[in-house]
mmCIF file with all atom_site columns, all heavy atoms in Angstrom:
data_model
loop_
_atom_site.group_PDB
_atom_site.id
_atom_site.type_symbol
_atom_site.label_atom_id
_atom_site.label_alt_id
_atom_site.label_comp_id
_atom_site.label_asym_id
_atom_site.label_entity_id
_atom_site.label_seq_id
_atom_site.pdbx_PDB_ins_code
_atom_site.Cartn_x
_atom_site.Cartn_y
_atom_site.Cartn_z
_atom_site.occupancy
_atom_site.B_iso_or_equiv
_atom_site.pdbx_formal_charge
_atom_site.auth_seq_id
_atom_site.auth_comp_id
_atom_site.auth_asym_id
_atom_site.auth_atom_id
_atom_site.pdbx_PDB_model_num
ATOM   1   N N   . SER A 1 104 ? -9.388  18.358 47.941 1.00 0.00 ? 109 SER A N   1
ATOM   2   C CA  . SER A 1 104 ? -8.648  17.959 46.741 1.00 0.00 ? 109 SER A CA  1
ATOM   3   C C   . SER A 1 104 ? -8.302  16.472 46.862 1.00 0.00 ? 109 SER A C   1
ATOM   4   O O   . SER A 1 104 ? -8.329  15.897 47.955 1.00 0.00 ? 109 SER A O   1
ATOM   5   C CB  . SER A 1 104 ? -7.349  18.766 46.623 1.00 0.00 ? 109 SER A CB  1
ATOM   6   O OG  . SER A 1 104 ? -6.451  18.367 47.638 1.00 0.00 ? 109 SER A OG  1
ATOM   7   N N   . THR A 1 105 ? -7.962  15.853 45.748 1.00 0.00 ? 110 THR A N   1
ATOM   8   C CA  . THR A 1 105 ? -7.559  14.445 45.780 1.00 0.00 ? 110 THR A CA  1
ATOM   9   C C   . THR A 1 105 ? -6.414  14.242 46.757 1.00 0.00 ? 110 THR A C   1
ATOM   10  O O   . THR A 1 105 ? -6.414  13.306 47.557 1.00 0.00 ? 110 THR A O   1
ATOM   11  C CB  . THR A 1 105 ? -7.129  14.002 44.363 1.00 0.00 ? 110 THR A CB  1
ATOM   12  O OG1 . THR A 1 105 ? -8.247  14.148 43.491 1.00 0.00 ? 110 THR A OG1 1
ATOM   13  C CG2 . THR A 1 105 ? -6.666  12.569 44.344 1.00 0.00 ? 110 THR A CG2 1
ATOM   14  N N   . THR A 1 106 ? -5.439  15.120 46.688 1.00 0.00 ? 111 THR A N   1
ATOM   15  C CA  . THR A 1 106 ? -4.265  14.977 47.546 1.00 0.00 ? 111 THR A CA  1
ATOM   16  C C   . THR A 1 106 ? -4.661  14.979 49.025 1.00 0.00 ? 111 THR A C   1
ATOM   17  O O   . THR A 1 106 ? -4.247  14.104 49.789 1.00 0.00 ? 111 THR A O   1
ATOM   18  C CB  . THR A 1 106 ? -3.275  16.129 47.265 1.00 0.00 ? 111 THR A CB  1
ATOM   19  O OG1 . THR A 1 106 ? -2.884  16.059 45.889 1.00 0.00 ? 111 THR A OG1 1
ATOM   20  C CG2 . THR A 1 106 ? -2.043  16.039 48.141 1.00 0.00 ? 111 THR A CG2 1
ATOM   21  N N   . PHE A 1 137 ? 1.332   8.031  40.885 1.00 0.00 ? 142 PHE A N   1
ATOM   22  C CA  . PHE A 1 137 ? 1.299   9.482  40.677 1.00 0.00 ? 142 PHE A CA  1
ATOM   23  C C   . PHE A 1 137 ? 2.108   10.180 41.787 1.00 0.00 ? 142 PHE A C   1
ATOM   24  O O   . PHE A 1 137 ? 2.057   9.760  42.939 1.00 0.00 ? 142 PHE A O   1
ATOM   25  C CB  . PHE A 1 137 ? -0.167  9.924  40.700 1.00 0.00 ? 142 PHE A CB  1
ATOM   26  C CG  . PHE A 1 137 ? -0.398  11.323 40.211 1.00 0.00 ? 142 PHE A CG  1
ATOM   27  C CD1 . PHE A 1 137 ? -0.545  11.589 38.859 1.00 0.00 ? 142 PHE A CD1 1
ATOM   28  C CD2 . PHE A 1 137 ? -0.461  12.377 41.108 1.00 0.00 ? 142 PHE A CD2 1
ATOM   29  C CE1 . PHE A 1 137 ? -0.756  12.882 38.414 1.00 0.00 ? 142 PHE A CE1 1
ATOM   30  C CE2 . PHE A 1 137 ? -0.674  13.671 40.676 1.00 0.00 ? 142 PHE A CE2 1
ATOM   31  C CZ  . PHE A 1 137 ? -0.816  13.920 39.317 1.00 0.00 ? 142 PHE A CZ  1
ATOM   32  N N   . THR A 1 139 ? 1.833   12.771 43.714 1.00 0.00 ? 144 THR A N   1
ATOM   33  C CA  . THR A 1 139 ? 1.199   13.156 44.981 1.00 0.00 ? 144 THR A CA  1
ATOM   34  C C   . THR A 1 139 ? 0.974   11.935 45.875 1.00 0.00 ? 144 THR A C   1
ATOM   35  O O   . THR A 1 139 ? 1.151   11.998 47.092 1.00 0.00 ? 144 THR A O   1
ATOM   36  C CB  . THR A 1 139 ? -0.118  13.938 44.702 1.00 0.00 ? 144 THR A CB  1
ATOM   37  O OG1 . THR A 1 139 ? -0.236  15.009 45.632 1.00 0.00 ? 144 THR A OG1 1
ATOM   38  C CG2 . THR A 1 139 ? -1.362  13.083 44.774 1.00 0.00 ? 144 THR A CG2 1
ATOM   39  N N   . ASP A 1 140 ? 0.654   10.810 45.284 1.00 0.00 ? 145 ASP A N   1
ATOM   40  C CA  . ASP A 1 140 ? 0.415   9.582  46.054 1.00 0.00 ? 145 ASP A CA  1
ATOM   41  C C   . ASP A 1 140 ? 1.709   9.144  46.754 1.00 0.00 ? 145 ASP A C   1
ATOM   42  O O   . ASP A 1 140 ? 1.701   8.772  47.929 1.00 0.00 ? 145 ASP A O   1
ATOM   43  C CB  . ASP A 1 140 ? -0.086  8.454  45.134 1.00 0.00 ? 145 ASP A CB  1
ATOM   44  C CG  . ASP A 1 140 ? -1.387  8.817  44.426 1.00 0.00 ? 145 ASP A CG  1
ATOM   45  O OD1 . ASP A 1 140 ? -1.411  9.839  43.708 1.00 0.00 ? 145 ASP A OD1 1
ATOM   46  O OD2 . ASP A 1 140 ? -2.380  8.082  44.591 1.00 0.00 ? 145 ASP A OD2 1
ATOM   47  N N   . SER A 1 185 ? -3.054  2.787  42.249 1.00 0.00 ? 190 SER A N   1
ATOM   48  C CA  . SER A 1 185 ? -3.883  3.444  41.238 1.00 0.00 ? 190 SER A CA  1
ATOM   49  C C   . SER A 1 185 ? -4.615  2.389  40.422 1.00 0.00 ? 190 SER A C   1
ATOM   50  O O   . SER A 1 185 ? -4.017  1.387  40.021 1.00 0.00 ? 190 SER A O   1
ATOM   51  C CB  . SER A 1 185 ? -3.017  4.284  40.289 1.00 0.00 ? 190 SER A CB  1
ATOM   52  O OG  . SER A 1 185 ? -2.698  5.506  40.893 1.00 0.00 ? 190 SER A OG  1
ATOM   53  N N   . ASP A 1 214 ? -6.774  4.598  44.289 1.00 0.00 ? 219 ASP A N   1
ATOM   54  C CA  . ASP A 1 214 ? -6.811  5.904  43.634 1.00 0.00 ? 219 ASP A CA  1
ATOM   55  C C   . ASP A 1 214 ? -7.507  5.704  42.289 1.00 0.00 ? 219 ASP A C   1
ATOM   56  O O   . ASP A 1 214 ? -6.991  5.006  41.408 1.00 0.00 ? 219 ASP A O   1
ATOM   57  C CB  . ASP A 1 214 ? -5.383  6.432  43.452 1.00 0.00 ? 219 ASP A CB  1
ATOM   58  C CG  . ASP A 1 214 ? -5.369  7.844  42.880 1.00 0.00 ? 219 ASP A CG  1
ATOM   59  O OD1 . ASP A 1 214 ? -6.279  8.151  42.075 1.00 0.00 ? 219 ASP A OD1 1
ATOM   60  O OD2 . ASP A 1 214 ? -4.465  8.616  43.206 1.00 0.00 ? 219 ASP A OD2 1
ATOM   61  N N   . CYS A 1 216 ? -8.487  8.164  40.167 1.00 0.00 ? 221 CYS A N   1
ATOM   62  C CA  . CYS A 1 216 ? -8.447  9.393  39.363 1.00 0.00 ? 221 CYS A CA  1
ATOM   63  C C   . CYS A 1 216 ? -8.580  9.134  37.869 1.00 0.00 ? 221 CYS A C   1
ATOM   64  O O   . CYS A 1 216 ? -9.309  9.831  37.178 1.00 0.00 ? 221 CYS A O   1
ATOM   65  C CB  . CYS A 1 216 ? -7.142  10.145 39.614 1.00 0.00 ? 221 CYS A CB  1
ATOM   66  S SG  . CYS A 1 216 ? -7.163  11.028 41.179 1.00 0.00 ? 221 CYS A SG  1
ATOM   67  N N   . HIS A 1 217 ? -7.837  8.152  37.365 1.00 0.00 ? 222 HIS A N   1
ATOM   68  C CA  . HIS A 1 217 ? -7.836  7.911  35.928 1.00 0.00 ? 222 HIS A CA  1
ATOM   69  C C   . HIS A 1 217 ? -8.810  6.828  35.489 1.00 0.00 ? 222 HIS A C   1
ATOM   70  O O   . HIS A 1 217 ? -8.807  6.428  34.332 1.00 0.00 ? 222 HIS A O   1
ATOM   71  C CB  . HIS A 1 217 ? -6.417  7.588  35.444 1.00 0.00 ? 222 HIS A CB  1
ATOM   72  C CG  . HIS A 1 217 ? -5.679  8.808  35.000 1.00 0.00 ? 222 HIS A CG  1
ATOM   73  N ND1 . HIS A 1 217 ? -4.931  9.588  35.862 1.00 0.00 ? 222 HIS A ND1 1
ATOM   74  C CD2 . HIS A 1 217 ? -5.603  9.415  33.800 1.00 0.00 ? 222 HIS A CD2 1
ATOM   75  C CE1 . HIS A 1 217 ? -4.429  10.606 35.200 1.00 0.00 ? 222 HIS A CE1 1
ATOM   76  N NE2 . HIS A 1 217 ? -4.821  10.537 33.933 1.00 0.00 ? 222 HIS A NE2 1
ATOM   77  N N   . CYS A 1 237 ? -10.438 11.817 41.336 1.00 0.00 ? 242 CYS A N   1
ATOM   78  C CA  . CYS A 1 237 ? -10.612 13.178 40.816 1.00 0.00 ? 242 CYS A CA  1
ATOM   79  C C   . CYS A 1 237 ? -11.975 13.314 40.162 1.00 0.00 ? 242 CYS A C   1
ATOM   80  O O   . CYS A 1 237 ? -12.493 12.364 39.578 1.00 0.00 ? 242 CYS A O   1
ATOM   81  C CB  . CYS A 1 237 ? -9.592  13.457 39.719 1.00 0.00 ? 242 CYS A CB  1
ATOM   82  S SG  . CYS A 1 237 ? -7.929  13.665 40.302 1.00 0.00 ? 242 CYS A SG  1
ATOM   83  N N   . TYR A 1 239 ? -12.299 16.198 38.063 1.00 0.00 ? 244 TYR A N   1
ATOM   84  C CA  . TYR A 1 239 ? -12.070 17.098 36.919 1.00 0.00 ? 244 TYR A CA  1
ATOM   85  C C   . TYR A 1 239 ? -11.532 16.362 35.698 1.00 0.00 ? 244 TYR A C   1
ATOM   86  O O   . TYR A 1 239 ? -11.300 16.972 34.663 1.00 0.00 ? 244 TYR A O   1
ATOM   87  C CB  . TYR A 1 239 ? -11.136 18.260 37.297 1.00 0.00 ? 244 TYR A CB  1
ATOM   88  C CG  . TYR A 1 239 ? -9.834  17.861 37.959 1.00 0.00 ? 244 TYR A CG  1
ATOM   89  C CD1 . TYR A 1 239 ? -8.757  17.406 37.203 1.00 0.00 ? 244 TYR A CD1 1
ATOM   90  C CD2 . TYR A 1 239 ? -9.694  17.938 39.333 1.00 0.00 ? 244 TYR A CD2 1
ATOM   91  C CE1 . TYR A 1 239 ? -7.575  17.025 37.808 1.00 0.00 ? 244 TYR A CE1 1
ATOM   92  C CE2 . TYR A 1 239 ? -8.512  17.567 39.951 1.00 0.00 ? 244 TYR A CE2 1
ATOM   93  C CZ  . TYR A 1 239 ? -7.456  17.106 39.182 1.00 0.00 ? 244 TYR A CZ  1
ATOM   94  O OH  . TYR A 1 239 ? -6.291  16.731 39.786 1.00 0.00 ? 244 TYR A OH  1
ATOM   95  N N   . LYS A 1 240 ? -11.323 15.049 35.809 1.00 0.00 ? 245 LYS A N   1
ATOM   96  C CA  . LYS A 1 240 ? -10.835 14.271 34.667 1.00 0.00 ? 245 LYS A CA  1
ATOM   97  C C   . LYS A 1 240 ? -12.052 13.767 33.887 1.00 0.00 ? 245 LYS A C   1
ATOM   98  O O   . LYS A 1 240 ? -12.720 14.552 33.235 1.00 0.00 ? 245 LYS A O   1
ATOM   99  C CB  . LYS A 1 240 ? -9.889  13.188 35.169 1.00 0.00 ? 245 LYS A CB  1
ATOM   100 C CG  . LYS A 1 240 ? -8.591  13.842 35.694 1.00 0.00 ? 245 LYS A CG  1
ATOM   101 C CD  . LYS A 1 240 ? -7.628  12.921 36.387 1.00 0.00 ? 245 LYS A CD  1
ATOM   102 C CE  . LYS A 1 240 ? -6.377  13.718 36.791 1.00 0.00 ? 245 LYS A CE  1
ATOM   103 N NZ  . LYS A 1 240 ? -5.537  13.028 37.757 1.00 0.00 ? 245 LYS A NZ  1
HETATM 104 C C1  . PLP B 2 .   ? -4.715  13.640 38.669 1.00 0.00 ? 526 PLP B C1  1
HETATM 105 C C2  . PLP B 2 .   ? -4.265  12.758 39.777 1.00 0.00 ? 526 PLP B C2  1
HETATM 106 C C3  . PLP B 2 .   ? -4.090  13.249 41.083 1.00 0.00 ? 526 PLP B C3  1
HETATM 107 C C4  . PLP B 2 .   ? -4.271  14.719 41.342 1.00 0.00 ? 526 PLP B C4  1
HETATM 108 O O1  . PLP B 2 .   ? -4.434  15.091 42.673 1.00 0.00 ? 526 PLP B O1  1
HETATM 109 P P1  . PLP B 2 .   ? -4.904  16.602 42.964 1.00 0.00 ? 526 PLP B P1  1
HETATM 110 O O2  . PLP B 2 .   ? -4.874  16.723 44.428 1.00 0.00 ? 526 PLP B O2  1
HETATM 111 O O3  . PLP B 2 .   ? -6.256  16.771 42.355 1.00 0.00 ? 526 PLP B O3  1
HETATM 112 O O4  . PLP B 2 .   ? -3.933  17.518 42.300 1.00 0.00 ? 526 PLP B O4  1
HETATM 113 C C5  . PLP B 2 .   ? -3.728  12.348 42.077 1.00 0.00 ? 526 PLP B C5  1
HETATM 114 N N1  . PLP B 2 .   ? -3.529  11.021 41.797 1.00 0.00 ? 526 PLP B N1  1
HETATM 115 C C6  . PLP B 2 .   ? -3.673  10.539 40.536 1.00 0.00 ? 526 PLP B C6  1
HETATM 116 C C7  . PLP B 2 .   ? -3.466  9.086  40.267 1.00 0.00 ? 526 PLP B C7  1
HETATM 117 C C8  . PLP B 2 .   ? -4.028  11.391 39.499 1.00 0.00 ? 526 PLP B C8  1
HETATM 118 O O5  . PLP B 2 .   ? -4.164  10.907 38.250 1.00 0.00 ? 526 PLP B O5  1
#
Side-chain angles (χ1 to χ4, degrees):
S109 70
T110 299
T111 300
F142 193 85
T144 220
D145 300 58
S190 280
D219 185 327
C221 283
H222 268 88
C242 288
Y244 51 80
K245 291 172 178 165

